[in-house]
Amino acid sequence: MRVFDHPEFDHHQQIVFGCDEASGLRAIIAVHDTRRGPALGGLRIYSYADEADALTDVLRLSRGMTYKSALADLPLGGGKAVIIADPRRDKTPALLRAMGRLVESLGGRYITAEDSGSGEEDMRLIRQETRHVSGLGRGGDSGDPSPFTAHGVFCALKSAVRHRFGRDELKGLSVAIQGVGHVGAHLARELHAAGAKLVLTDVDRDSLGMLSEELGAQNVAPERIFDAEVDVFAPCAMGAVLTREVADRLRATVVCGAANNQLATPDVAGRLHDRGILYAPDYVANAGGVIEVEAQRHDRYDREAVMRHVERISTTIDEIFTRARAEDSTPSEVADRLARERLG
């Protein structure tokens, strides 16, 4: 398995493979960049087909965290961790404590938090082995960053709608949301409250049905969501969903969602641009969660200040769209360049 010449390597500072025979842990931690501060990134627990898929995912995610923190103006670098396991079947206290020991072995260069397949209770188990963990909440409040991620996406979506359609209100806007887990459900409720019309899908048909009934939304089979006649497509499930085929199928003219690494390959950004589809770079739009997780690390926590910081995502997205239009570039190219500028 290639590492240094892996197409997603991108000068990672450190990649650690961890194994614990007793608990069955098989994990990878990728530290992409620590120039702005320790590398913070969530722990994804997923039943990858093999180690090569897990490595590709963690490398892409950790680089995205570097850019995300830079554009959110946070004193953090970028990192990510994955455990190769089924979170519904294989996740045990022993496995999570073993993961905590692996995080501890990096001496604070990497700080973990919840992500797909892991939650606040998992972080509490990891906390038994290391203090380099966030997303634990305080004062009886949940540490779940999902509402903050969703609100940041909502702010980015409003900006994209303004740039694409020249309108400020969302009433009557049609939005297709792919994936209505924690973040997707919060986003759906916020869009519904703003008067948007929703088309929803998820592999969990029970959760999909309940949310659709609650919000009076239409639901479709997962494979049909790309063909929905809507204004906005919001990918909020797993990454790499925007392939060239999907880019050609989309009826929406704005793409803005919470999923990480939405572009299957970099050239898809150009295909969206050629079709007149405005794409909000995912690591900019979904930065609300890491803004909240960073705030939890400090003794003085001010929720209103956190929300103001999250809402500044709109300003960053506005700058990216404005520069992209002036330069006839894709928003992805501009976002990457802006992130590298902030990294120095």
Side-chain angles (χ1 to χ4, degrees), residues 15-16 74 79 126 161 168 228 244 274 279 298 323:
I15 302 168
V16 177
L74 295 172
I126 290 173
V161 166
D168 289 317
R244 284 193 66 85
D274 291 343
Y279 170 65
H298 305 284
R323 286 178 58 167

Side-chain angles (χ1 to χ4, degrees), residues 249-299:
R249 283 175 61 185
L250 283 177
R251 308 293 182 87
T253 50
V254 168
V255 175
C256 180
N260 286 307
N261 295 333
Q262 293 168 22
L263 301 175
T265 54
D267 65 291
V268 174
R271 182 56 186 155
L272 293 170
H273 182 67
D274 291 343
R275 290 200 59 216
I277 298 173
L278 184 61
Y279 170 65
D282 48 51
Y283 61 78
V284 185
N286 66 15
V290 73
I291 292 170
E292 157 68 2
V293 168
E294 156 61 15
Q296 290 178 23
R297 298 176 57 231
H298 305 284
D299 292 335

Side-chain angles (χ1 to χ4, degrees), residues 8-51:
E8 304 292 346
F9 179 68
D10 192 41
H11 308 289
H12 271 72
Q13 293 178 354
Q14 191 172 11
I15 302 168
V16 177
F17 293 78
C19 177
D20 180 71
E21 183 179 6
S23 66
L25 177 72
R26 293 187 301 156
I28 309 173
I29 298 176
V31 175
H32 179 249
D33 193 289
T34 56
R35 280 176 287 179
R36 291 177 63 93
L40 187 147
L43 167 62
R44 175 167 291 184
I45 306 176
Y46 186 73
S47 50
Y48 294 96
D50 52 37
E51 292 92 336

